[in-house]
């Protein structure tokens, strides 16, 4: 196994969006992660895993896992939300630190309840830049690393928005290969040009034809996922092999997270079936690459890095 690869509950269909699909119980998901050889996982949807840091760390340790970090939606462009945003950063960073995490993955949402995207004024952009740099410093005080996550239906979705934030902040990034491609930013160019800004990697493959209805607003993200927009690594339109090679050649020593959003429709899959098979296929794809044994640190439980 490749011990620089981490898991994420969303790959098992665990999402906070209502009616997303059947949600597998945590014990099953964590057991299946461990069975595939993972030693690290992201936190996943709020409330899915214990929110008390001591209990969370204990639950994960029972499966030979540690917490890598988690996805944190923040309202960063609205000055009137500044205090609420700062409070949210302190609360989440405290929990992540106390649970032993490394990464604070920032997503710039339009509103706390993920309202539809709206154009930002220049003043709002400036406030967002300032807030991202503030979050960078705040989470560092907790021993965490910020990684800005470009994401569908957030403020930082399109290629020009990604570039704005790259050019106007010093924040670190999540190299999410799938969301970059969907937003129109060549993920290979991003990897080559901004390697020094990348703090951790979300390996996500995508079928672009199936993402078009989502980007046009004709489908929700959930509907796109259920249609197969995010596929097993190596089966879509992202040059995953090139992205991994870029990071290996750069000497990247962070973590690669297999994050292939899934949604379980219909009956609960039998033990040994369902999303675990897709994650296993993606692991096997990564192992088959010429770099498959190069991002090497699997299942040594050496802790965060």
């Amino acid at each position: 196994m490749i011990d620089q690869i981490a898991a994420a509950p969303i790959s098992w269909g665990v999402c906070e969006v209502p009616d997303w699909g059947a949600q597998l119980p945590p014990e099953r998901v964590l057991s299946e992660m461990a069975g595939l050889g993972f030693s690290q996982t992201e936190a996943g949807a709020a409330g899915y895993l214990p929110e008390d840091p001591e209990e969370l760390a204990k639950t994960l340790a029972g499966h030979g896992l540690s917490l890598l970090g988690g996805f944190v939606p923040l309202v960063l462009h609205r000055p009137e939300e500044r205090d609420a945003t700062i409070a949210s950063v302190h609360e989440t960073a405290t929990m992540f630190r106390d649970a032993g995490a490394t990464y604070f993955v920032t997503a710039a949402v339009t509103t706390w309840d993920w309202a539809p995207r709206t154009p930002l004024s220049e003043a709002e952009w400036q406030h967002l830049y300032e807030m991202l740099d503030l979050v960078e410093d705040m989470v560092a005080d907790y021993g965490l690393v910020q990684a800005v996550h470009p994401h569908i239906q957030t403020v930082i979705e399109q290629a020009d928005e990604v570039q704005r934030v790259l050019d106007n902040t010093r924040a670190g990034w999540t190299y999410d290969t799938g969301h970059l491609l969907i937003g129109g930013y060549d993920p290979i160019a991003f990897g080559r040009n901004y390697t020094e800004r990348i703090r951790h990697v979300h390996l996500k493959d995508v079928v672009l034809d199936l993402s078009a209805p989502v980007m046009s607003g004709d489908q929700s993200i959930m509907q796109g996922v259920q249609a197969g927009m995010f596929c097993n690594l190596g089966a879509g339109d992202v040059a995953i092999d090139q992205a991994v090679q870029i990071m290996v050649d750069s000497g990247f020593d962070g973590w690669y997270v297999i994050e292939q959003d899934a949604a379980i429709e219909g009956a609960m899959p039998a033990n040994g079936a369902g999303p675990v098979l897709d994650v296993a296929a993606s692991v096997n794809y990564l192992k088959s690459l010429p770099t498959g044994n190069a991002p090497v640190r699997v299942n040594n439980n050496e802790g965060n890095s």
Side-chain angles (χ1 to χ4, degrees), residues 12 28-39 63-65 299:
W12 273 260
R28 174 170 171 178
V29 172
L30 298 178
S31 294
E32 291 183 348
M33 287 180 180
L36 291 175
F38 291 109
S39 64
H63 297 275
L65 294 163
N299 210 3

Side-chain angles (χ1 to χ4, degrees), residues 120-233:
L120 268 57
S121 68
E122 282 304 316
E124 288 176 323
W125 276 114
Q126 288 298 321
H127 187 71
L128 181 143
Y129 305 149
E130 293 168 8
M131 290 298 292
L132 280 175
D133 283 345
L134 176 61
V135 173
E136 185 88 356
D137 295 335
M138 288 175 63
V139 302
D141 288 340
Y142 287 87
L144 302 172
V145 176
Q146 176 177 223
V148 177
H149 194 320
H151 197 284
I152 296 175
Q153 296 180 3
T154 68
V155 172
I156 308 172
E157 175 194 80
Q158 298 292 313
D160 63 321
E161 297 159 352
V162 171
Q163 196 62 52
R164 271 180 172 267
V165 177
L166 285 166
D167 292 344
N168 290 282
T169 76
R170 48 188 171 79
W173 281 77
T174 292
Y175 183 20
D176 189 296
T177 54
H179 283 288
L180 283 168
L181 184 63
I182 291 172
Y185 204 119
D186 178 0
I188 303 308
F190 182 97
R192 288 174 177 157
N193 295 332
Y194 296 102
T195 310
E196 77 285 352
R197 298 285 292 274
I198 295 171
R199 299 295 177 259
H200 93 316
V201 180
H202 275 180
L203 293 175
K204 184 191 292 289
D205 210 342
V206 70
V207 180
L208 275 179
D209 286 348
L210 296 178
S211 73
V214 177
M215 297 304 288
S216 67
D218 294 327
Q219 285 185 349
S220 66
I221 297 178
M222 178 189 70
Q223 290 169 327
V225 169
Q226 292 173 338
M229 174 172 65
F230 297 123
C231 57
N232 294 352
L233 298 184

Side-chain angles (χ1 to χ4, degrees), residues 11-24:
S11 297
W12 273 260
V14 177
C15 183
E16 62 266 66
V17 177
D19 302 318
W20 184 267
Q23 194 169 89
L24 295 171

